[in-house]
Amino acid sequence: SPCIIVAVRKGPEILLAAHRRHYQADDPMYTVLAGFVEAGENLEQCVAREVFEESGIRVRNVHYVASQPWPFPHSLMIGFTARYAGGELTIQDAEIVEANWYAHDDLPPSPRGGMSIAGWLIEDWIKRQSHKA
């Protein structure tokens, strides 16, 4: 069951969302967007579709970063970066509680490094932004 996970960048900001599936009001965790590949689509198409479905955002410059085995539900998580191409942030209420663009020095609680590909994507983006400052 391949799935994608993507860090979407807009200038000096990254798109992070609090996902309904893991949301805890007293301790929200924000992360990058992800979703399962559908039959008949390639990975880049999946990135574009999932980002648009969950956030209303269009992306461009989709680039592969890394992959990670994911035990539930026996998946392969394939990580990407992408750039904002247009659209207004409009969250999909069924999956997302809240989403916004964040600067590297003003991030909400989010995964960092460790064993999670989401953490790797966010940490890599933070390092790149810190070097620009």
Side-chain angles (χ1 to χ4, degrees):
S1 300
C3 50
I4 61 87
I5 187 162
V6 56
V8 179
R9 301 168 298 178
K10 180 181 178 185
E13 298 177 315
I14 189 171
L15 178 61
L16 296 178
H19 296 264
R20 194 164 298 285
R21 184 175 331 126
H22 306 292
Y23 187 73
Q24 297 178 23
D26 59 336
D27 188 22
M29 177 64 69
Y30 290 73
T31 190
V32 292
L33 301 180
F36 288 96
V37 178
E38 292 183 355
E41 72 182 352
N42 65 36
L43 297 172
E44 294 81 5
Q45 289 168 331
C46 180
V47 167
R49 177 185 54 76
E50 282 290 342
V51 170
F52 184 75
E53 285 178 1
E54 293 183 6
S55 70
I57 299 299
R58 300 260 183 224
V59 294
R60 61 184 174 84
N61 295 4
V62 176
H63 291 284
Y64 170 81
V65 175
S67 64
Q68 175 184 26
W70 202 252
F72 305 104
H74 187 72
S75 299
L76 177 64
M77 185 76 75
I78 303 136
F80 293 88
T81 60
R83 294 205 178 268
Y84 170 83
E88 294 296 319
L89 189 55
T90 308
I91 62 169
Q92 181 185 41
D93 289 333
E95 292 194 34
I96 307 292
V97 175
E98 181 182 6
N100 211 337
W101 297 102
Y102 295 94
H104 78 281
D105 56 356
D106 192 28
L107 292 176
S110 55
R112 305 286 171 81
M115 295 175 49
S116 159
I117 195 166
W120 303 341
L121 291 169
I122 294 168
E123 194 69 37
D124 181 64
W125 173 80
I126 290 169
K127 286 178 188 172
R128 291 174 189 272
Q129 293 306 305
S130 298
H131 286 56
K132 291 180 182 180

